[in-house]
Amino acid sequence: MAKIIRGFKDTFGKQAENLTKLENCARKVFARYGVEELRIPTVELKELFIKSTGDTTDIVQKEMYAFEDAGSRNIALRPEGTPGVVRAYIENGFAQNNPLKSFFYIGNMFRAERPQAGRYREFEQIGVECFGNASPAQDAQTILMLKDIIESLGIKNYKVKINSLGCAECRPAFRQELINYFSASKDQLCDKCKDRLERNPLRVLDCKIDGPKFTNVPKQKLCPSCQEHFDEVINLLKGKIDFEIDPMLVRGLDYYTKTVFEFVAGTNAQNAIAGGGRYDTLVKSMGGPACPAIGWALGAQRVASVLEEQNAQEEKNTRENKFFVISMDKTCNQTAFNLMQNLRQAGFITLGGIFDKNIKAQMKQADKNNCRWALIIGTTEVEKGSVVLKDLTNAEQKEFLQSEIISVLKKVQNEKN
Ligand code: AMP
């Protein structure tokens, strides 16, 4: 039987549905911000990624799907979208003629990473790249664009981290300070960080193993112009989005300058759902004119999984608080009906009232309607003024007085919350 390659995956059902939903939400938000679509090739010359993503990054060093084609060209499957978009921006003359331009892309990226939950070798990114605007207002609106997409999709529990990495003026000193600091305790670093300490010392800060080990890491001292820029970004964002300034946030790519940010959500170990930052020197270093820029990329599968997780949790929460009232005999209908209305008056989600059906059929409906609890009234209960509360997940049941049932249920709910 033919088998899929390790690290790749088929997408169908809810996951496919959520990906489409996300793409549609994103397109609507991009339109509102005046961002146009750009479709770039899946393959580029390998050199493009080495020059832009950076040869000190894991993505380029170890994770590229690179090969020689029939024309002996060294090409690579794109590991990220920014290099292709920047190339297209320069090559199609936008940089010269219409420098203030923002593009979005939706497409699959390829990285030969070690596969695990939330980390695939082919995954979809939705990204945006905004060129030609150095103003802090551009940083703020680019971040808010991402927030709008996440929220219009209905994702509620996400966190935003922001930092500034400084510029060519203030970054080198920080870089050197980090090399000195970590070199002093090199034996405590993980193998990966030992290896990248000289090449990319900032990455040690956001290493999951080493980052938390060091508590007194030197902090970036921004030059006055970077500090002013960062302060203004923060001021513009205040009140529009909840965020936290995280001096340990560095992002994995070489080209970032000034503002960087990351959105995290969900319970997976791989909980970064999107990230990005400013890259004011990249366009020039790739052969274009000096041109400020900022962008982000969102991992579509990760966002879709968070949505799925959240929906499942919400469904579970609703089920927890849903009741179904059952009458076991014609003579019990009046009492059961009164109980049902009393529960609704008290604010409980209450279904039922199909008293012309037999008990089995009523139970079946309770289950079908995703109710966790059945409240059963039979002739004995009418006589005793009681009601049976049955947990449909494990069939356990307990009897309470009808006069007390609402306060009992309220107490249980309060304990849960
Ligand atoms: P990056 O291009 O590394 O900044 O990643 C941007 C976003 O893409 C991340 O926040 C993730 O949500 C997503 N992403 C990165 N690598 C993978 C992967 N191997 N599998 C799935 N999603 C990924």
Side-chain angles (χ1 to χ4, degrees):
M1 190 183 63
K3 285 215 160 155
I4 197 161
I5 307 169
R6 191 169 118 87
F8 290 77
K9 94 194 206 67
D10 301 313
T11 306
F12 45 84
K14 269 266 161 304
Q15 179 98 9
E17 239 173 67
N18 285 338
L19 286 176
T20 307
K21 202 169 154 196
L22 165 62
E23 289 161 10
N24 293 339
C25 276
R27 283 178 188 280
K28 277 195 196 132
V29 173
F30 287 137
R32 228 184 285 153
Y33 281 81
V35 181
E36 290 172 25
E37 182 168 14
L38 178 67
R39 297 187 184 220
I40 44 169
T42 314
V43 291
E44 300 270 0
L45 288 176
K46 182 179 168 188
E47 202 183 73
L48 177 81
F49 301 112
I50 297 175
K51 279 199 182 142
S52 52
T53 308
D55 57 3
T56 72
T57 60
D58 289 346
I59 298 178
V60 165
Q61 279 234 322
K62 303 185 194 116
E63 297 165 3
M64 270 217 288
Y65 280 97
F67 51 92
E68 210 175 86
D69 74 356
S72 299
R73 281 173 293 249
N74 284 317
I75 62 177
L77 298 181
R78 56 185 183 194
E80 57 144 346
T82 309
V85 175
V86 174
R87 177 202 48 68
Y89 175 72
I90 301 168
E91 201 173 348
N92 293 291
F94 292 108
Q96 248 72 32
N97 306 325
N98 191 6
L100 193 70
K101 191 97 189 152
S102 298
F103 293 108
F104 77 87
Y105 58 86
I106 298 179
N108 286 8
M109 306 297 153
F110 302 82
R111 294 181 195 173
E113 294 187 84
R114 200 170 57 81
Q116 64 184 93
R119 191 187 267 168
Y120 313 113
R121 292 185 161 178
E122 179 179 13
F123 57 97
E124 178 180 320
Q125 279 190 343
I126 299 179
V128 71
E129 313 294 348
C130 308
F131 297 100
N133 186 355
S135 160
Q138 183 64 64
D139 306 41
Q141 64 179 339
T142 306
I143 293 170
L144 291 174
M145 208 187 294
L146 180 52
K147 175 206 162 196
D148 286 356
I149 295 174
I150 300 292
E151 289 203 346
S152 65
L153 196 63
I155 290 184
K156 289 172 194 139
N157 294 324
Y158 64 93
K159 282 208 175 96
V160 180
K161 297 192 249 173
I162 301 181
N163 191 21
S164 175
L165 296 179
C167 63
E169 286 269 308
C170 46
R171 176 112 67 105
F174 180 50
R175 211 179 159 273
Q176 194 52 52
E177 217 180 325
L178 286 178
I179 295 179
N180 298 344
Y181 175 83
F182 288 120
S183 298
S185 8
K186 202 168 173 179
D187 50 333
Q188 286 182 50
L189 295 177
C190 72
D191 288 346
K192 221 173 174 181
C193 285
K194 268 187 197 131
D195 181 47
R196 62 187 172 195
L197 178 57
E198 296 287 332
R199 281 187 284 116
N200 200 346
L202 270 75
R203 284 316 309 269
V204 183
L205 294 180
D206 76 346
C207 168
K208 286 214 161 73
I209 308 167
D210 293 336
K213 276 189 211 159
F214 298 89
T215 44
N216 276 327
V217 182
K219 294 237 161 43
Q220 166 104 37
K221 287 172 206 73
L222 296 175
C223 64
S225 133
C226 284
Q227 188 65 54
E228 196 186 323
H229 184 99
F230 191 52
D231 290 345
E232 185 155 355
V233 174
I234 297 302
N235 281 335
L236 291 170
L237 288 175
K238 269 190 191 148
K240 302 202 169 48
I241 183 171
D242 287 332
F243 61 90
E244 150 198 347
I245 298 173
D246 180 0
M248 301 292 265
L249 178 70
V250 295
R251 311 275 307 124
L253 311 175
D254 275 4
Y255 48 62
Y256 286 121
T257 51
K258 294 187 179 163
T259 316
V260 287
F261 49 92
E262 198 162 82
F263 282 46
V264 297
T267 54
N268 234 322
Q270 301 300 323
N271 65 353
I273 55 168
R278 227 176 220 292
Y279 50 93
D280 286 344
T281 55
L282 184 63
V283 177
K284 185 155 189 232
S285 75
M286 284 174 66
C291 174
I294 181 168
W296 51 251
L298 160 166
Q301 281 83 1
R302 289 198 195 164
V303 172
S305 300
V306 169
L307 187 64
E308 220 173 299
E309 214 175 80
Q310 187 184 295
N311 288 346
Q313 189 56 46
E314 272 171 12
E315 208 164 290
K316 200 168 155 230
N317 290 348
T318 319
R319 182 180 150 76
E320 285 283 311
N321 296 313
K322 262 171 107 177
F323 299 88
F324 200 97
V325 175
I326 291 171
S327 168
M328 301 213 346
D329 187 84
K330 225 178 176 163
T331 57
C332 311
N333 289 1
Q334 180 76 52
T335 314
F337 188 80
N338 291 348
L339 173 70
M340 195 164 64
Q341 287 309 104
N342 288 344
L343 282 168
R344 287 171 179 155
Q345 292 298 317
F348 292 99
I349 306 170
T350 315
L351 286 79
I354 43 166
F355 302 153
D356 54 339
K357 296 263 188 294
N358 65 29
I359 303 160
K360 210 171 152 203
Q362 293 186 59
M363 282 288 195
K364 210 169 163 191
Q365 280 304 317
D367 216 39
K368 258 196 164 160
N369 282 285
N370 205 21
C371 297
R372 171 160 180 193
W373 309 98
L375 284 155
I376 306 164
I377 306 256
T379 43
T380 332
E381 284 75 31
V382 171
E383 243 168 63
K384 287 162 68 185
S386 66
V387 52
V388 170
L389 177 70
K390 182 168 181 167
D391 185 344
L392 298 176
T393 39
N394 54 16
E396 270 175 26
Q397 54 183 56
K398 235 176 160 179
E399 199 174 339
F400 297 95
L401 282 176
Q402 283 164 33
S403 56
E404 285 174 359
I405 188 73
I406 285 176
S407 57
V408 169
L409 297 181
K410 277 195 173 155
K411 206 172 143 213
V412 173
Q413 246 178 9
N414 283 342
E415 275 165 13
K416 266 197 309 204
N417 299 330

